[in-house]
């Protein structure tokens, strides 16, 4: 069985209730895409977005969760709470959370374990900095992040991996096709070695994906979709990315 294709949008700390109109435009424009489509809005918009989507084919997810189910953790949200309001996925270990909140691989693994237990699909992000790439350490860094961030008992049904080079996020710069292919091949090899169903884990590329480069990226072996930041905020940009994935 092939991995499921996924076009995932990360709205980060952008958007208010008025931005939900993008969902209508996306649903109208995307049609019955041959891939899963997910938006991860800020926490304030998850429930209103789920309500707006109704029975239509668009998934809604969170951008982070706590590793515990409940308790004295002011400002945090648990995986169970995300599931309760209709989220299907949660992004974990995004480089902005690793940098801004000091999240470690062990933190990410604990959160991913909680997500899995709550019935959420964890989108686990890994990626090298520009310095690490310049030092020729990309594959070593990715392998270490993957090994440390994947929870015990991970399965393809509840795990998505996103390769997001830190230097490509929001910069308009992307790795070459060969560089993406090399990292995705490594991820597939490591996942296949560690999980019985590692061949079925969806692997996303993320970092300055746009309508103009989407088709080229989706043609790369072991790229099953994208995690898209800036270009997911407007339906007119995200819809052609979804179409490119559906056609790949
Ligand atoms: C991201 O933050 O996950 C991302 C890929 O951002 P952008 O598409 O804007 O580079």
């Amino acid at each position: 069985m092939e991995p499921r294709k996924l076009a995932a949008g990360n709205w980060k700390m952008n958007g208010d209730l008025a931005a939900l109109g993008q969902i209508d435009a996306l649903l109208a424009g995307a049609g019955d895409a041959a891939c899963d489509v997910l938006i991860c809005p800020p926490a304030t918009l998850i429930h209103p977005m789920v309500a707006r989507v109704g029975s239509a084919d668009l998934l809604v997810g969170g951008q982070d969760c706590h590793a515990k189910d409940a308790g004295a953790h002011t400002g945090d949200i648990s995986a169970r709470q995300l599931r309760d309001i209709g989220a299907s996925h949660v992004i974990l270990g995004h480089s902005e959370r690793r940098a801004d909140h000091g999240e470690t691989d062990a933190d990410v693994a604990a959160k991913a374990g909680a997500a899995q237990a709550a019935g959420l699909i964890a989108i686990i992000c890994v990626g090298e900095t520009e310095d690490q790439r310049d030092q020729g350490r990309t594959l070593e860094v990715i392998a270490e992040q993957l090994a440390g961030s994947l929870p015990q008992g991970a399965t393809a049904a509840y795990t998505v991996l996103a390769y997001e080079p830190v230097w490509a996020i929001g910069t308009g710069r992307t790795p070459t096709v060969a560089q993406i292919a090399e990292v995705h091949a490594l991820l597939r090899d490591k996942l296949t070695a560690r999980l019985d169903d590692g061949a079925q884990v969806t692997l996303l590329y993320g970092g300055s994906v746009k309508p103009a480069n989407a088709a080229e990226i989706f043609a790369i072996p072991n790229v099953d979709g994208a995690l898209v930041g800036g270009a997911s905020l407007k339906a007119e940009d995200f819809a052609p990315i979804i179409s490119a994935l559906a056609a790949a």
Side-chain angles (χ1 to χ4, degrees), residues 10 12 94 96 164 168-170 206-209 227-230:
N10 173 13
K12 311 191 184 191
H94 190 282
E96 287 154 16
E164 297 211 306
I169 294 177
S208 296
V209 175
L227 181 53
V228 183

Side-chain angles (χ1 to χ4, degrees), residues 203-227:
L203 301 184
L204 308 182
Y205 166 75
S208 296
V209 175
K210 308 271 180 254
N213 61 17
E216 185 183 32
I217 291 170
F218 296 146
I220 300 171
N222 291 306
V223 174
D224 309 309
L227 181 53

Side-chain angles (χ1 to χ4, degrees), residues 121-140:
I121 298 171
I123 302 178
I124 299 173
C125 302
V126 295
E128 82 286 2
T129 63
E130 188 156 30
D131 276 356
Q132 289 166 333
R133 178 162 282 281
D134 290 346
Q135 291 160 14
R137 297 181 49 222
T138 298
L139 297 185
E140 168 205 332

Side-chain angles (χ1 to χ4, degrees), residues 2-236:
E2 294 283 300
R4 285 188 73 79
K5 291 192 212 174
L6 173 65
N10 173 13
W11 280 15
K12 311 191 184 191
M13 199 172 68
N14 296 297
D16 48 21
L17 287 170
L20 293 178
Q22 294 302 319
I23 298 307
D24 303 338
L26 205 56
L27 291 173
D32 57 340
C35 61
D36 291 336
V37 180
L38 166 75
I39 301 281
C40 298
T44 51
L45 294 182
I46 294 173
H47 191 252
M49 190 175 282
V50 167
R52 184 87 160 224
V53 168
S55 60
D57 242 353
L58 191 136
L59 302 162
V60 183
Q63 298 175 12
D64 179 46
C65 70
H66 198 278
K68 296 254 167 62
D69 276 350
H73 302 288
T74 303
D76 282 313
I77 301 174
S78 73
R80 260 178 216 278
Q81 289 171 318
L82 287 175
R83 192 79 194 102
D84 183 49
I85 57 170
S88 57
H89 292 65
V90 60
I91 298 171
L92 295 173
H94 190 282
S95 61
E96 287 154 16
R97 291 211 58 91
R98 290 179 187 261
D100 296 354
H101 300 271
E103 288 188 7
T104 63
D105 292 338
D107 294 330
V108 177
K111 291 176 180 209
Q116 191 171 273
L120 282 180
I121 298 171
I123 302 178
I124 299 173
C125 302
V126 295
E128 82 286 2
T129 63
E130 188 156 30
D131 276 356
Q132 289 166 333
R133 178 162 282 281
D134 290 346
Q135 291 160 14
R137 297 181 49 222
T138 298
L139 297 185
E140 168 205 332
V141 167
I142 300 297
E144 188 183 323
Q145 288 180 342
L146 175 64
S149 303
L150 209 57
Q152 290 296 322
T155 61
Y158 289 99
T159 310
V160 170
L161 247 294
Y163 167 50
E164 297 211 306
V166 178
W167 52 274
I169 294 177
T171 59
R173 300 165 57 202
T174 50
T176 63
V177 164
Q179 287 170 331
I180 297 175
E182 181 181 43
V183 173
H184 279 243
L186 174 88
L187 289 173
R188 182 66 72 207
D189 282 354
K190 298 281 180 198
L191 286 165
T192 308
R194 185 158 156 185
L195 310 183
D196 290 344
D197 57 1
Q200 275 120 54
V201 174
T202 297
L203 301 184
L204 308 182
Y205 166 75
S208 296
V209 175
K210 308 271 180 254
N213 61 17
E216 185 183 32
I217 291 170
F218 296 146
I220 300 171
N222 291 306
V223 174
D224 309 309
L227 181 53
V228 183
S232 72
L233 292 170
K234 295 230 171 326
E236 68 194 57

